[in-house]
Amino acid sequence: EALAVETRLGLASIAAHGHSHPDTVAIFEAASKRPGLDRDAAASFVVWYGLWCGHHVRGEAHLAQGSAAALHAASLAHGAPANVMMGVRSLGITALMNGDAREALARHAEAEAMENIPRDRAQAQIVGQDQSVSFRSYYGLTLWLSGQGTRAWATIQDSIRLAREGGHPGSLGYGLTHAILGALGLGQREMAQTWCAELFDKASEFRLGMWRDYALRFQGLIDLAIGGGTEPLLAARQALAGRSVGLFAAYADLMAADLLLDRGALDDAAKWLARGEAALQPGHECWAAPEALRIAGRLAALQGDQAGAADLTARALARATECGLLAFALKAAVQGADLA
């Protein structure tokens, strides 16, 4: 009975406070230690889903490996196809966050073969997320980072279409947040701006505070690209940190550094690079590590250290290629050619 109460409390805490809130994490951690959890397939699935989501949203990619494996095992024990798909997806998303794009791509393809949109959409009423949307959100990001830009863009756009059709506000906020990141990565800045405006509107209409903070972060990056300042980015960064949200933090800081280098603001770029590197501490969002090396190389070149720039850029290319992050590998290869 205590386990059943804790799972209901955990899902309620997700709805009220978010996956990464300390209260949510504490509830699921307590439930994970309950005797007999492994004998209750339904409760076990919810508990490990809650723990994995908490690790993921907090940016704790290394911890997410263990909770994703447990969630996958719980999904197989449960046996329902929608749950199994979610377990497989968790492995794919976690692989991506840990910098293994090839494994991420394979797991998303495995999940795609299980997909059933009406069934997966109904998960919004169980775990608070339309799985037809969230599946495409991360599949699109995985395809982008794997160098499949055309397919990535189609998948990202499809996630937004399904989110609007489904009518679940939280899922639309989720879809828009990930779609904006993908649009920025794919050079679709105009569409990123359109979606950012929509995310602001939906966050205000439905009081989705975390999505509002993400909208502020992305709007800050869009504005920075056309001459804006960094103050809105700092405000968004602090707001998300206050929510215990670390997801995409390192990459956003690195994007800011890259944009500042475009305008020759080397000192400011160095500060944002340092923030991004700090957010890449062991166990956190390893997928952005090649970009940290490339941007450090770009900064070194602009500071006159050609040898250091070449070394850092070569390391970025090697790391991105090893991880299957071909979008980052291409950027490093182009930068290396420019330095030669």
Side-chain angles (χ1 to χ4, degrees):
E1 185 176 344
L3 183 56
V5 170
E6 281 176 331
T7 57
R8 288 195 294 270
L9 282 175
L11 291 172
S13 188
I14 288 175
H17 306 299
H19 298 92
S20 60
H21 193 278
D23 290 351
T24 306
V25 174
I27 291 167
F28 284 120
E29 283 184 344
S32 73
K33 298 176 174 64
R34 288 284 180 191
L37 176 64
D38 57 347
R39 296 191 297 273
D40 187 331
S44 182
F45 177 82
V46 172
V47 168
W48 286 111
Y49 170 80
L51 279 172
W52 170 73
C53 285
H55 291 148
H56 175 62
V57 176
R58 292 169 77 95
E60 297 167 343
H62 182 67
L63 291 176
Q65 289 180 308
S67 53
L71 173 58
H72 182 236
S75 75
L76 293 174
H78 189 284
N83 295 53
V84 175
M85 181 190 176
M86 287 172 65
V88 172
R89 283 187 54 242
S90 74
L91 295 176
I93 292 169
T94 303
L96 185 66
M97 294 296 101
N98 279 282
D100 188 346
R102 293 185 183 89
E103 174 68 9
L105 200 59
R107 289 297 187 175
H108 277 89
E110 183 182 349
E112 185 177 31
M114 305 177 190
E115 185 181 36
N116 178 305
I117 291 175
R119 179 202 69 200
D120 299 334
R121 176 166 285 163
Q123 292 295 97
Q125 307 308 319
I126 302 170
V127 296
Q129 193 60 249
D130 180 336
Q131 294 299 307
S132 71
V133 177
S134 51
F135 164 62
R136 281 169 176 75
S137 294
Y138 274 98
Y139 202 3
L141 294 181
T142 300
L143 289 164
W144 154 49
L145 291 166
S146 299
Q148 300 184 42
T150 300
R151 190 177 173 200
W153 187 232
T155 302
I156 289 167
Q157 290 178 301
D158 204 30
S159 73
I160 301 304
R161 177 185 64 79
L162 287 169
R164 292 187 180 125
E165 287 178 1
H168 184 255
S171 298
L172 179 56
Y174 182 107
L176 287 167
T177 298
H178 293 75
I180 294 164
L181 178 66
L184 291 172
L186 288 162
Q188 299 283 351
R189 191 174 296 163
E190 184 175 338
M191 196 68 242
Q193 176 63 83
T194 298
W195 283 335
C196 203
E198 184 177 359
L199 183 56
F200 270 122
D201 289 344
K202 297 302 180 185
S204 176
E205 180 181 356
F206 295 105
R207 299 183 180 180
L208 301 170
M210 185 176 75
W211 303 133
R212 177 184 175 278
D213 293 339
Y214 267 113
L216 288 169
R217 168 172 274 169
F218 290 133
Q219 188 63 57
L221 288 168
I222 293 167
D223 291 344
L224 192 63
I226 55 175
T230 58
E231 292 81 4
L233 274 176
L234 282 170
R237 193 179 194 277
Q238 292 167 359
L240 286 164
R243 297 180 186 275
S244 301
V245 175
L247 184 62
F248 306 140
Y251 186 62
D253 290 346
L254 295 171
M255 287 179 71
D258 214 16
L259 290 168
L260 288 163
L261 288 178
D262 288 344
R263 64 170 78 168
L266 304 195
D267 289 344
D268 285 342
K271 292 176 183 176
W272 281 92
L273 174 60
R275 291 186 179 106
E277 289 172 333
L280 282 171
Q281 59 187 288
H284 287 66
E285 289 202 39
C286 309
W287 68 284
E291 279 292 88
L293 289 167
R294 182 188 66 80
I295 294 164
R298 188 179 176 204
L299 176 61
L302 292 169
Q303 291 172 331
D305 181 4
Q306 297 302 311
D311 175 66
L312 286 162
T313 304
R315 287 167 56 195
L317 176 57
R319 178 73 178 269
T321 303
E322 176 188 359
C323 295
L325 296 163
L326 301 186
F328 292 162
L330 178 59
K331 292 170 75 174
V334 170
Q335 182 169 297
D338 290 342
L339 290 169

